[in-house]
Amino acid sequence: MLNIKIEKTSTPKQKPDYSKLGFGKYFTDHMFLMNYSTEKGWHDARVVPYAPLELSPAAMVFHYAQELFEGLKAYRRADGGIQLFRPDKNIERMNNTCDRLCVPRIDPADVLQAIKTVVEVDADWVPYDEGTSLYIRPFIIATDPMLGVHPSHTYIFCIILSPVGSYYAAGINPVKIGIEREYVRCVKGGTGLAKAGGNYAASLIGQKKAEENGYAQVLWLDGIHRKYIDEVGAMNVFFVIDGVVVTPDLTDGNILPGVTRRSAIELLKKWGMAVEERKLAVDEVIEAHKNGKLNEAFGTGTAAVISPIGELCDGDNIMVINNNEIGPIAKKLYDAITGMQWGKVEDDMGWIEKIN
Ligand SMILES: *Cc1c(COP(=O)(O)O)cnc(C)c1O
């Protein structure tokens, strides 16, 4: 058990208009902090008023991007209680990312306790409206004030909280996706499997190009063969080809192991549906579309849960999928996962962790 000191703010903020939350624009009254040093290990766990961090301009995170993060949500149930969805999977992934970036691990039980404690302190920030939630952003930064290229000896682990609006306030609208053939997000042996801020810096240019071309997101291809599908934007991607659900496998370490991805696969298997985790060439998808066998396509991630792909664009080749509507498999997964998250359907998978 962590000994978490709690210092409450004397000046709580005014709450934002909960009907106009958007994503990641507002932050709650408190945050969790914990420090690491080689001598003391992880220490000084505390919940303090939300405030700027003071860091040396030489702090390593600013120069060599030794940084990692997680993303999960707290959901308000109809009975007023608050719960998390598979936080153990986020915590396990955070520690795997630590390993890849030479950051010291944190005891999973301590991370869960930290998340629960800070959410409880700011419990009145967990919104009630349909589809809304409290987004939880744990992150770790390297703080040694040194420009030599080495793993840092000191770190800060911080958790901030942001009430977020319904992703689908205007209904589930399938998005337009552009296949990216110039830039790549990561390569085998790189950091694609890690939730590292640096991956996002590398992906911005592809995202910018996609937006300039009128697409919502990028479909990333693998960095070596430029042939196999990796992910869509910052989501994992699924295709339903001739009735079989196919998603890229994780073996090359260039795909982020999404908690939503994993949950979708486990549910599909439970429902007795055909699911394949394997290499998927973009040409196979294009061919399936040509032959009328591309039934559905969708992205998965904590923010949107399921994001149907209505159009896949490859230069001049514009492929409309399922008549630009959400498909039956995407819909079934969306209903099952969100039902459990907001406590509307029974959790028969053991995925819900109640805070209160
Ligand atoms: C976080 C993330 C995902 C989705 O993971 P979830 O755990 O389902 O939210 C997918 N791809 C990338 C690159 C990500 O950073």
Side-chain angles (χ1 to χ4, degrees):
M1 277 285 275
L2 273 181
N3 174 18
I4 304 178
K5 268 193 247 126
I6 297 177
E7 181 201 333
K8 290 215 179 149
T9 181
S10 54
T11 52
K13 298 175 203 172
Q14 199 175 345
K15 301 279 194 303
D17 178 347
Y18 275 11
S19 66
K20 297 197 185 92
L21 287 173
F23 182 79
K25 293 192 291 184
Y26 304 100
F27 297 94
T28 63
D29 286 318
H30 300 88
M31 62 185 183
F32 174 87
L33 288 174
M34 182 158 74
N35 295 75
Y36 179 91
S37 66
T38 317
E39 306 77 50
K40 292 190 185 168
W42 285 107
H43 65 278
D44 203 8
R46 59 208 188 271
V47 170
V48 295
Y50 184 93
L53 299 172
E54 190 167 295
L55 295 172
S56 163
M60 294 192 63
V61 62
F62 296 136
H63 305 277
Y64 309 125
Q66 199 188 6
E67 186 271 355
L68 60 98
F69 67 96
E70 266 304 324
L72 67 164
K73 288 171 168 179
Y75 307 86
R76 178 80 71 181
R77 290 192 307 275
D79 67 7
I82 297 168
Q83 60 190 26
L84 306 170
F85 181 75
R86 312 192 83 180
D88 53 317
K89 296 294 167 229
N90 291 91
I91 295 166
E92 184 185 315
R93 182 173 69 193
M94 189 178 93
N95 275 320
N96 291 340
T97 302
C98 284
D99 290 348
R100 180 62 181 80
L101 296 185
C102 303
V103 172
R105 290 181 152 243
I106 310 180
D107 183 331
D110 291 351
V111 181
L112 184 61
Q113 190 194 343
I115 291 171
K116 285 180 157 182
T117 304
V118 68
V119 171
E120 267 193 301
V121 170
D122 278 334
D124 61 336
W125 284 83
V126 182
Y128 286 82
D129 295 344
E130 173 91 24
T132 61
S133 55
L134 185 73
Y135 186 77
I136 304 167
R137 169 54 60 87
F139 63 101
I140 303 177
I141 54 173
T143 54
D144 275 8
M146 265 193 280
L147 299 183
V149 180
H150 288 286
S152 185
H153 300 93
T154 59
Y155 298 87
I156 292 174
F157 173 45
C158 181
I159 304 172
I160 55 174
L161 308 170
S162 172
V164 297
S166 171
Y167 201 88
Y168 292 117
I172 302 186
N173 291 315
V175 294
K176 217 170 150 174
I177 300 294
I179 299 173
E180 176 54 60
R181 293 189 181 267
E182 184 184 1
Y183 301 110
V184 297
R185 193 184 82 89
C186 62
V187 292
K188 182 175 179 175
T191 54
L193 79 174
K195 218 163 168 76
N199 290 341
Y200 279 72
S203 75
L204 294 176
I205 195 164
Q207 180 62 30
K208 179 165 163 259
K209 196 174 132 192
E211 285 169 18
E212 281 164 7
N213 288 321
Y215 313 138
Q217 304 248 318
V218 179
L219 187 78
W220 296 107
L221 303 183
D222 82 278
I224 293 173
H225 311 91
R226 305 297 190 98
K227 176 176 168 186
Y228 299 107
I229 292 171
D230 272 358
E231 300 198 48
V232 58
M235 287 185 286
N236 295 114
V237 68
F238 288 71
F239 294 87
V240 185
I241 301 173
D242 208 9
V244 179
V245 185
V246 185
T247 191
D249 65 280
L250 304 177
T251 43
D252 281 349
N254 49 338
I255 290 172
L256 200 286
V259 178
T260 322
R261 171 191 183 277
R262 181 185 182 126
S263 305
I265 293 169
E266 290 176 23
L267 284 173
L268 290 165
K269 286 189 174 159
K270 189 183 93 167
W271 296 333
M273 299 173 81
V275 196
E276 292 175 1
E277 288 181 71
R278 62 169 168 88
K279 289 210 175 359
L280 177 60
V282 68
D283 287 345
E284 184 183 336
V285 171
I286 294 171
E287 192 63 20
H289 181 268
K290 209 156 78 185
N291 300 332
K293 295 194 166 164
L294 181 57
N295 314 130
E296 292 185 44
F298 52 91
T300 64
T302 296
V305 185
I306 302 286
S307 180
I309 299 171
E311 273 183 34
L312 190 58
C313 309
D314 186 22
D316 295 337
N317 182 12
I318 296 178
M319 296 163 266
V320 175
I321 303 169
N322 193 44
N323 207 18
N324 224 326
E325 287 163 22
I326 184 168
I329 294 176
K331 178 81 171 73
K332 189 171 178 185
L333 285 170
Y334 181 81
D335 290 344
I337 295 172
T338 58
M340 268 187 247
Q341 289 171 336
W342 276 283
K344 290 177 188 162
V345 307
E346 195 203 335
D347 166 27
D348 54 358
M349 305 294 280
W351 288 348
I352 295 303
E353 172 86 29
K354 287 188 180 181
I355 291 186
N356 59 29

